[in-house]
Amino acid sequence: AQKITQTQPGMFVQEKEAVTLDCTYDTSDPSYGLFWYKQPSSGEMIFLIYQGSYDQQNATEGRYSLNFQKARKSANLVISASQLGDSAMYFCAMRDGNQFYFGTGTSLTVIP
Amino acid sequence: DAMVIQNPRYQVTQFGKPVTLSCSQTLNHNVMYWYQQKSSQAPKLLFHYYDKDFNNEADTPDNFQSRRPNTSFCFLDIRSPGLGDAAMYLCATSTRTGPRDEQYFGPGTRLTVT
């Protein structure tokens, strides 16, 4: 079974608008961490934001925020005020015990 | 700046000719990982070292080997590359393997097999 599911292979957003990238996860471990990474065409994976399973509040990092709904097992990334430089692949990931699982990614294109 | 470095960034090898990819880190992290990422796919974990303890994923082909001579360096050896091994290879590090421990990635090595 998939541990991390990203159902949006590709997304488009107008510059300066907000966009939500979906991520659902599957684990029976009460202690886990959720991560979002950005991968531009150059290939490097850039860490964006982290949410712990015990965190009471949604994580925020600048223009990035994480809409964490624990009961639904979802951890959607919200990018506010999109910029052209936000065009990239975005991966949701989960650390569960010793394992680190990645989703299949969402390709985001920001339109001028 | 503390970082994860991968050399070379681009590597071309011939079918069946052994190749070694290198990764070094200045973060002094305990854990180092090697991932294979093919086009438009998620990174796939090949193996990781927790200090000197080697952990191989069950479905990692025997063709792939790794060495970690010290904390800073980790190598990926592909003994007989096939055309299907052409991919981006990502090295990552983390302090431990707890839920909070994010992975820090290098820029990757893009391997072409001719």
Short mmCIF file of all heavy atoms in Angstrom, two decimals, chain A residues 31-35 37 39 41-47 50 53 89 91 95 97-100 102-105, chain B residues 9 33 35 37 40-43 45 48 57 88 90 94 96-107 110:
data_model
loop_
_atom_site.label_atom_id
_atom_site.label_comp_id
_atom_site.label_asym_id
_atom_site.label_seq_id
_atom_site.Cartn_x
_atom_site.Cartn_y
_atom_site.Cartn_z
N SER A 31 3.88 8.27 16.12
CA SER A 31 4.93 9.27 16.03
C SER A 31 5.52 9.26 14.63
O SER A 31 6.15 8.28 14.22
CB SER A 31 6.02 8.98 17.06
OG SER A 31 7.06 9.93 16.97
N TYR A 32 5.31 10.33 13.91
CA TYR A 32 5.82 10.42 12.54
C TYR A 32 6.03 11.87 12.18
O TYR A 32 5.55 12.78 12.87
CB TYR A 32 4.85 9.76 11.53
CG TYR A 32 3.43 10.25 11.60
CD1 TYR A 32 3.02 11.36 10.87
CD2 TYR A 32 2.50 9.63 12.43
CE1 TYR A 32 1.71 11.82 10.95
CE2 TYR A 32 1.19 10.08 12.52
CZ TYR A 32 0.80 11.17 11.78
OH TYR A 32 -0.49 11.62 11.86
N GLY A 33 6.77 12.08 11.14
CA GLY A 33 7.02 13.44 10.66
C GLY A 33 6.65 13.56 9.21
O GLY A 33 6.84 12.62 8.43
N LEU A 34 6.14 14.69 8.84
CA LEU A 34 5.74 14.96 7.46
C LEU A 34 6.57 16.11 6.91
O LEU A 34 6.79 17.11 7.61
CB LEU A 34 4.25 15.30 7.39
CG LEU A 34 3.35 14.15 7.84
CD1 LEU A 34 1.97 14.68 8.23
CD2 LEU A 34 3.22 13.10 6.75
N PHE A 35 7.02 15.98 5.68
CA PHE A 35 7.92 16.95 5.08
C PHE A 35 7.44 17.28 3.67
O PHE A 35 6.87 16.44 2.98
CB PHE A 35 9.34 16.37 4.95
CG PHE A 35 9.94 15.89 6.25
CD1 PHE A 35 9.61 14.64 6.75
CD2 PHE A 35 10.83 16.68 6.94
CE1 PHE A 35 10.16 14.19 7.94
CE2 PHE A 35 11.39 16.23 8.13
CZ PHE A 35 11.06 14.99 8.63
N TYR A 37 9.23 18.83 0.11
CA TYR A 37 10.45 19.21 -0.58
C TYR A 37 10.10 19.78 -1.95
O TYR A 37 9.14 19.34 -2.59
CB TYR A 37 11.38 18.00 -0.79
CG TYR A 37 12.09 17.52 0.45
CD1 TYR A 37 11.49 16.62 1.31
CD2 TYR A 37 13.37 17.97 0.75
CE1 TYR A 37 12.14 16.17 2.44
CE2 TYR A 37 14.03 17.52 1.89
CZ TYR A 37 13.42 16.62 2.73
OH TYR A 37 14.07 16.17 3.85
N GLN A 39 11.74 20.37 -5.75
CA GLN A 39 12.82 19.93 -6.63
C GLN A 39 12.75 20.69 -7.96
O GLN A 39 11.96 20.36 -8.84
CB GLN A 39 12.76 18.42 -6.88
CG GLN A 39 13.99 17.89 -7.62
CD GLN A 39 13.96 16.39 -7.81
OE1 GLN A 39 12.92 15.80 -8.10
NE2 GLN A 39 15.11 15.74 -7.64
N SER A 41 14.24 22.02 -11.69
CA SER A 41 14.76 21.23 -12.81
C SER A 41 16.24 20.89 -12.64
O SER A 41 16.72 19.92 -13.24
CB SER A 41 14.54 21.97 -14.13
OG SER A 41 15.14 23.24 -14.08
N SER A 42 16.94 21.64 -11.81
CA SER A 42 18.36 21.34 -11.56
C SER A 42 18.55 20.03 -10.80
O SER A 42 19.63 19.43 -10.82
CB SER A 42 19.01 22.48 -10.78
OG SER A 42 18.32 22.67 -9.55
N GLY A 43 17.52 19.57 -10.09
CA GLY A 43 17.57 18.26 -9.46
C GLY A 43 17.71 18.25 -7.96
O GLY A 43 17.41 17.24 -7.32
N GLU A 44 18.17 19.33 -7.36
CA GLU A 44 18.38 19.32 -5.92
C GLU A 44 17.07 19.32 -5.17
O GLU A 44 16.13 20.01 -5.54
CB GLU A 44 19.21 20.54 -5.51
CG GLU A 44 19.57 20.58 -4.04
CD GLU A 44 20.51 21.71 -3.71
OE1 GLU A 44 20.87 22.47 -4.62
OE2 GLU A 44 20.89 21.83 -2.54
N MET A 45 16.98 18.54 -4.12
CA MET A 45 15.78 18.50 -3.27
C MET A 45 15.95 19.54 -2.17
O MET A 45 16.87 19.46 -1.37
CB MET A 45 15.63 17.11 -2.65
CG MET A 45 15.41 16.01 -3.64
SD MET A 45 13.72 15.98 -4.24
CE MET A 45 12.95 14.99 -2.97
N ILE A 46 15.02 20.47 -2.11
CA ILE A 46 15.12 21.57 -1.17
C ILE A 46 14.03 21.41 -0.12
O ILE A 46 12.84 21.36 -0.45
CB ILE A 46 14.95 22.92 -1.89
CG1 ILE A 46 16.03 23.07 -2.97
CG2 ILE A 46 15.00 24.07 -0.90
CD1 ILE A 46 15.75 24.18 -3.96
N PHE A 47 14.42 21.33 1.14
CA PHE A 47 13.46 21.18 2.23
C PHE A 47 12.65 22.46 2.38
O PHE A 47 13.20 23.57 2.39
CB PHE A 47 14.22 20.87 3.52
CG PHE A 47 13.38 21.02 4.76
CD1 PHE A 47 12.40 20.09 5.06
CD2 PHE A 47 13.57 22.08 5.62
CE1 PHE A 47 11.63 20.22 6.20
CE2 PHE A 47 12.80 22.22 6.77
CZ PHE A 47 11.84 21.28 7.06
N TYR A 50 8.13 21.29 7.69
CA TYR A 50 7.98 20.07 8.47
C TYR A 50 6.76 20.17 9.39
O TYR A 50 6.46 21.24 9.93
CB TYR A 50 9.23 19.84 9.32
CG TYR A 50 9.04 18.87 10.46
CD1 TYR A 50 9.13 17.51 10.23
CD2 TYR A 50 8.74 19.32 11.74
CE1 TYR A 50 8.93 16.60 11.26
CE2 TYR A 50 8.54 18.42 12.77
CZ TYR A 50 8.64 17.06 12.54
OH TYR A 50 8.44 16.16 13.54
N SER A 53 3.75 14.78 14.04
CA SER A 53 2.43 14.19 14.30
C SER A 53 1.82 14.70 15.59
O SER A 53 0.60 14.70 15.75
CB SER A 53 2.53 12.67 14.33
OG SER A 53 3.43 12.23 15.33
N MET A 89 8.95 20.59 -9.21
CA MET A 89 8.27 19.41 -8.64
C MET A 89 8.23 19.57 -7.14
O MET A 89 9.19 20.04 -6.52
CB MET A 89 9.04 18.13 -9.00
CG MET A 89 8.85 17.65 -10.40
SD MET A 89 7.18 17.02 -10.70
CE MET A 89 7.19 15.51 -9.71
N PHE A 91 7.48 17.36 -3.62
CA PHE A 91 7.31 16.02 -3.05
C PHE A 91 6.89 16.12 -1.59
O PHE A 91 7.50 16.85 -0.80
CB PHE A 91 8.62 15.22 -3.14
CG PHE A 91 8.98 14.80 -4.54
CD1 PHE A 91 9.85 15.56 -5.29
CD2 PHE A 91 8.45 13.65 -5.08
CE1 PHE A 91 10.19 15.18 -6.59
CE2 PHE A 91 8.78 13.25 -6.36
CZ PHE A 91 9.65 14.02 -7.11
N ARG A 95 8.45 10.51 7.48
CA ARG A 95 9.36 9.65 8.22
C ARG A 95 8.52 8.87 9.22
O ARG A 95 7.84 9.45 10.05
CB ARG A 95 10.45 10.44 8.93
CG ARG A 95 11.48 9.52 9.54
CD ARG A 95 12.48 10.25 10.39
NE ARG A 95 13.55 10.89 9.67
CZ ARG A 95 14.55 10.27 9.08
NH1 ARG A 95 14.61 8.97 9.09
NH2 ARG A 95 15.51 10.96 8.48
N GLY A 97 9.23 5.69 11.71
CA GLY A 97 10.27 4.80 12.20
C GLY A 97 11.58 5.12 11.50
O GLY A 97 11.97 6.27 11.40
N ASN A 98 12.24 4.10 10.97
CA ASN A 98 13.52 4.31 10.29
C ASN A 98 13.36 4.61 8.81
O ASN A 98 14.33 4.84 8.11
CB ASN A 98 14.40 3.06 10.42
CG ASN A 98 14.95 2.92 11.83
OD1 ASN A 98 15.10 3.90 12.53
ND2 ASN A 98 15.23 1.70 12.23
N GLN A 99 12.15 4.59 8.33
CA GLN A 99 11.94 4.75 6.90
C GLN A 99 11.50 6.17 6.53
O GLN A 99 10.86 6.85 7.32
CB GLN A 99 10.85 3.77 6.43
CG GLN A 99 11.28 2.32 6.44
CD GLN A 99 12.14 1.96 5.25
OE1 GLN A 99 12.79 2.82 4.63
NE2 GLN A 99 12.18 0.69 4.91
N PHE A 100 11.89 6.53 5.32
CA PHE A 100 11.51 7.84 4.78
C PHE A 100 10.81 7.57 3.46
O PHE A 100 11.40 7.05 2.54
CB PHE A 100 12.78 8.67 4.56
CG PHE A 100 12.58 10.15 4.63
CD1 PHE A 100 12.62 10.82 5.84
CD2 PHE A 100 12.37 10.88 3.48
CE1 PHE A 100 12.45 12.19 5.90
CE2 PHE A 100 12.20 12.25 3.54
CZ PHE A 100 12.25 12.91 4.75
N PHE A 102 8.53 8.80 0.09
CA PHE A 102 8.19 9.93 -0.77
C PHE A 102 6.92 9.63 -1.56
O PHE A 102 6.66 8.49 -1.93
CB PHE A 102 9.31 10.20 -1.78
CG PHE A 102 10.49 10.92 -1.21
CD1 PHE A 102 11.56 10.22 -0.68
CD2 PHE A 102 10.53 12.31 -1.20
CE1 PHE A 102 12.64 10.89 -0.15
CE2 PHE A 102 11.61 12.99 -0.68
CZ PHE A 102 12.67 12.27 -0.15
N GLY A 103 6.15 10.67 -1.83
CA GLY A 103 5.07 10.56 -2.79
C GLY A 103 5.61 10.69 -4.20
O GLY A 103 6.81 10.89 -4.41
N THR A 104 4.73 10.58 -5.16
CA THR A 104 5.13 10.60 -6.57
C THR A 104 5.32 12.01 -7.11
O THR A 104 5.80 12.18 -8.22
CB THR A 104 4.10 9.87 -7.44
OG1 THR A 104 2.80 10.39 -7.14
CG2 THR A 104 4.11 8.37 -7.17
N GLY A 105 4.95 12.99 -6.32
CA GLY A 105 5.24 14.37 -6.69
C GLY A 105 4.14 15.07 -7.47
O GLY A 105 3.29 14.43 -8.10
N ARG B 9 28.63 16.15 -10.95
CA ARG B 9 27.23 16.46 -11.14
C ARG B 9 26.65 15.68 -12.32
O ARG B 9 25.48 15.32 -12.33
CB ARG B 9 27.05 17.96 -11.40
CG ARG B 9 27.40 18.85 -10.20
CD ARG B 9 26.40 18.67 -9.05
NE ARG B 9 25.02 18.83 -9.47
CZ ARG B 9 24.41 20.00 -9.59
NH1 ARG B 9 25.06 21.12 -9.30
NH2 ARG B 9 23.14 20.06 -9.97
N TYR B 33 22.35 8.63 3.11
CA TYR B 33 21.43 7.86 2.28
C TYR B 33 21.81 7.99 0.81
O TYR B 33 22.30 9.04 0.39
CB TYR B 33 20.00 8.41 2.40
CG TYR B 33 19.44 8.56 3.79
CD1 TYR B 33 19.79 9.65 4.59
CD2 TYR B 33 18.53 7.64 4.29
CE1 TYR B 33 19.25 9.80 5.86
CE2 TYR B 33 17.98 7.79 5.57
CZ TYR B 33 18.35 8.87 6.33
OH TYR B 33 17.81 9.02 7.59
N TYR B 35 19.77 7.60 -2.88
CA TYR B 35 18.51 7.42 -3.58
C TYR B 35 18.78 7.37 -5.08
O TYR B 35 19.67 8.03 -5.59
CB TYR B 35 17.56 8.60 -3.35
CG TYR B 35 16.96 8.70 -1.97
CD1 TYR B 35 17.62 9.38 -0.95
CD2 TYR B 35 15.72 8.12 -1.70
CE1 TYR B 35 17.05 9.47 0.31
CE2 TYR B 35 15.15 8.23 -0.44
CZ TYR B 35 15.82 8.90 0.55
OH TYR B 35 15.25 9.00 1.80
N GLN B 37 16.67 8.25 -8.53
CA GLN B 37 15.45 8.90 -9.00
C GLN B 37 15.42 8.90 -10.52
O GLN B 37 16.26 9.54 -11.16
CB GLN B 37 15.34 10.33 -8.48
CG GLN B 37 14.00 10.99 -8.83
CD GLN B 37 13.89 12.41 -8.33
OE1 GLN B 37 14.90 13.09 -8.14
NE2 GLN B 37 12.68 12.88 -8.12
N SER B 40 10.60 11.81 -13.68
CA SER B 40 9.20 11.96 -13.29
C SER B 40 8.75 10.94 -12.23
O SER B 40 7.56 10.63 -12.14
CB SER B 40 8.27 11.85 -14.51
OG SER B 40 8.61 12.80 -15.47
N GLN B 41 9.69 10.43 -11.47
CA GLN B 41 9.35 9.50 -10.40
C GLN B 41 9.85 10.01 -9.06
O GLN B 41 10.68 10.91 -8.99
CB GLN B 41 9.95 8.11 -10.68
CG GLN B 41 9.39 7.44 -11.91
CD GLN B 41 9.95 6.04 -12.09
OE1 GLN B 41 10.47 5.42 -11.16
NE2 GLN B 41 9.84 5.52 -13.30
N ALA B 42 9.34 9.42 -7.99
CA ALA B 42 9.82 9.75 -6.65
C ALA B 42 11.19 9.14 -6.43
O ALA B 42 11.54 8.12 -7.04
CB ALA B 42 8.84 9.22 -5.61
N PRO B 43 11.99 9.73 -5.58
CA PRO B 43 13.27 9.10 -5.22
C PRO B 43 13.03 7.73 -4.58
O PRO B 43 12.10 7.55 -3.79
CB PRO B 43 13.87 10.07 -4.20
CG PRO B 43 13.18 11.36 -4.44
CD PRO B 43 11.81 11.01 -4.89
N LEU B 45 14.83 4.84 -2.28
CA LEU B 45 15.95 4.60 -1.39
C LEU B 45 16.66 3.30 -1.78
O LEU B 45 16.02 2.25 -1.93
CB LEU B 45 15.46 4.51 0.06
CG LEU B 45 16.54 4.31 1.12
CD1 LEU B 45 17.48 5.52 1.17
CD2 LEU B 45 15.92 4.08 2.48
N HIS B 48 21.17 2.97 3.26
CA HIS B 48 21.64 4.04 4.10
C HIS B 48 22.61 3.50 5.15
O HIS B 48 22.61 2.30 5.46
CB HIS B 48 20.48 4.81 4.75
CG HIS B 48 19.81 4.08 5.87
ND1 HIS B 48 18.80 3.17 5.68
CD2 HIS B 48 19.98 4.18 7.22
CE1 HIS B 48 18.38 2.73 6.84
NE2 HIS B 48 19.07 3.31 7.79
N GLU B 57 18.19 -1.74 1.27
CA GLU B 57 16.78 -1.98 0.98
C GLU B 57 16.65 -3.35 0.30
O GLU B 57 17.52 -3.75 -0.49
CB GLU B 57 16.22 -0.89 0.09
CG GLU B 57 16.16 0.47 0.76
CD GLU B 57 15.34 0.46 2.02
OE1 GLU B 57 14.13 0.15 1.95
OE2 GLU B 57 15.90 0.76 3.09
N MET B 88 19.02 9.97 -11.92
CA MET B 88 19.63 10.92 -10.99
C MET B 88 19.88 10.16 -9.69
O MET B 88 18.99 9.44 -9.22
CB MET B 88 18.70 12.11 -10.74
CG MET B 88 19.19 13.06 -9.67
SD MET B 88 20.55 14.08 -10.25
CE MET B 88 19.61 15.47 -10.91
N LEU B 90 20.77 10.68 -5.80
CA LEU B 90 20.75 11.70 -4.75
C LEU B 90 21.34 11.14 -3.47
O LEU B 90 20.99 10.04 -3.04
CB LEU B 90 19.32 12.16 -4.49
CG LEU B 90 18.62 12.87 -5.63
CD1 LEU B 90 17.13 12.97 -5.37
CD2 LEU B 90 19.18 14.26 -5.84
N SER B 94 21.15 12.91 7.50
CA SER B 94 20.33 13.37 8.61
C SER B 94 21.06 13.08 9.91
O SER B 94 21.98 12.25 9.94
CB SER B 94 18.93 12.72 8.61
OG SER B 94 19.01 11.35 8.93
N ARG B 96 19.78 11.84 12.79
CA ARG B 96 19.34 10.54 13.31
C ARG B 96 18.20 10.07 12.44
O ARG B 96 18.03 10.55 11.32
CB ARG B 96 18.88 10.68 14.77
CG ARG B 96 19.99 10.98 15.76
CD ARG B 96 19.41 11.24 17.13
NE ARG B 96 18.54 12.39 17.14
CZ ARG B 96 18.98 13.64 17.23
NH1 ARG B 96 20.26 13.89 17.34
NH2 ARG B 96 18.14 14.64 17.23
N THR B 97 17.42 9.17 12.95
CA THR B 97 16.30 8.66 12.17
C THR B 97 14.98 8.85 12.91
O THR B 97 14.04 8.11 12.74
CB THR B 97 16.48 7.15 11.86
OG1 THR B 97 16.67 6.44 13.09
CG2 THR B 97 17.68 6.93 10.96
N GLY B 98 14.91 9.86 13.75
CA GLY B 98 13.66 10.15 14.45
C GLY B 98 12.69 10.90 13.56
O GLY B 98 13.05 11.37 12.49
N PRO B 99 11.43 11.02 14.01
CA PRO B 99 10.40 11.64 13.18
C PRO B 99 10.75 13.06 12.75
O PRO B 99 10.34 13.50 11.67
CB PRO B 99 9.17 11.63 14.08
CG PRO B 99 9.42 10.56 15.07
CD PRO B 99 10.89 10.50 15.28
N ARG B 100 11.50 13.79 13.60
CA ARG B 100 11.76 15.19 13.30
C ARG B 100 12.97 15.35 12.36
O ARG B 100 13.22 16.43 11.85
CB ARG B 100 12.02 15.95 14.59
CG ARG B 100 12.44 17.42 14.43
CD ARG B 100 11.42 18.20 13.64
NE ARG B 100 11.82 19.57 13.35
CZ ARG B 100 12.40 19.94 12.23
NH1 ARG B 100 12.69 19.04 11.28
NH2 ARG B 100 12.72 21.19 12.01
N ASP B 101 13.69 14.28 12.13
CA ASP B 101 14.98 14.43 11.48
C ASP B 101 14.84 14.49 9.96
O ASP B 101 14.73 13.48 9.28
CB ASP B 101 15.90 13.28 11.90
CG ASP B 101 16.15 13.31 13.40
OD1 ASP B 101 16.48 14.39 13.91
OD2 ASP B 101 15.97 12.27 14.05
N GLU B 102 14.87 15.72 9.48
CA GLU B 102 14.76 15.92 8.04
C GLU B 102 16.03 15.45 7.36
O GLU B 102 17.08 15.31 7.98
CB GLU B 102 14.55 17.39 7.72
CG GLU B 102 15.81 18.23 7.88
CD GLU B 102 15.57 19.69 7.76
OE1 GLU B 102 14.96 20.26 8.67
OE2 GLU B 102 16.01 20.27 6.75
N GLN B 103 15.91 15.22 6.08
CA GLN B 103 17.05 14.84 5.27
C GLN B 103 17.53 16.05 4.49
O GLN B 103 16.75 16.81 3.94
CB GLN B 103 16.68 13.71 4.32
CG GLN B 103 16.30 12.44 5.06
CD GLN B 103 16.17 11.25 4.14
OE1 GLN B 103 16.12 11.38 2.93
NE2 GLN B 103 16.13 10.07 4.71
N TYR B 104 18.84 16.20 4.45
CA TYR B 104 19.48 17.27 3.70
C TYR B 104 20.07 16.63 2.45
O TYR B 104 20.87 15.70 2.54
CB TYR B 104 20.59 17.93 4.51
CG TYR B 104 20.11 18.66 5.73
CD1 TYR B 104 19.77 17.97 6.88
CD2 TYR B 104 19.99 20.04 5.73
CE1 TYR B 104 19.32 18.64 8.01
CE2 TYR B 104 19.56 20.72 6.86
CZ TYR B 104 19.22 20.02 7.99
OH TYR B 104 18.78 20.68 9.09
N PHE B 105 19.68 17.14 1.32
CA PHE B 105 20.07 16.52 0.04
C PHE B 105 21.21 17.27 -0.63
O PHE B 105 21.31 18.50 -0.55
CB PHE B 105 18.88 16.50 -0.91
CG PHE B 105 17.88 15.42 -0.59
CD1 PHE B 105 16.88 15.65 0.35
CD2 PHE B 105 17.94 14.19 -1.22
CE1 PHE B 105 15.96 14.66 0.66
CE2 PHE B 105 17.02 13.19 -0.92
CZ PHE B 105 16.04 13.44 0.03
N GLY B 106 22.03 16.50 -1.31
CA GLY B 106 23.00 17.08 -2.21
C GLY B 106 22.35 17.42 -3.55
O GLY B 106 21.17 17.15 -3.76
N PRO B 107 23.13 18.00 -4.47
CA PRO B 107 22.57 18.43 -5.75
C PRO B 107 22.31 17.29 -6.73
O PRO B 107 21.67 17.49 -7.75
CB PRO B 107 23.65 19.37 -6.31
CG PRO B 107 24.90 18.89 -5.67
CD PRO B 107 24.54 18.37 -4.32
N ARG B 110 23.73 13.14 -12.14
CA ARG B 110 22.91 12.57 -13.21
C ARG B 110 23.77 11.61 -14.01
O ARG B 110 24.76 12.01 -14.62
CB ARG B 110 22.37 13.68 -14.11
CG ARG B 110 21.23 13.21 -15.01
CD ARG B 110 20.61 14.37 -15.77
NE ARG B 110 19.93 15.33 -14.93
CZ ARG B 110 18.69 15.21 -14.47
NH1 ARG B 110 17.98 14.13 -14.76
NH2 ARG B 110 18.15 16.16 -13.73
#
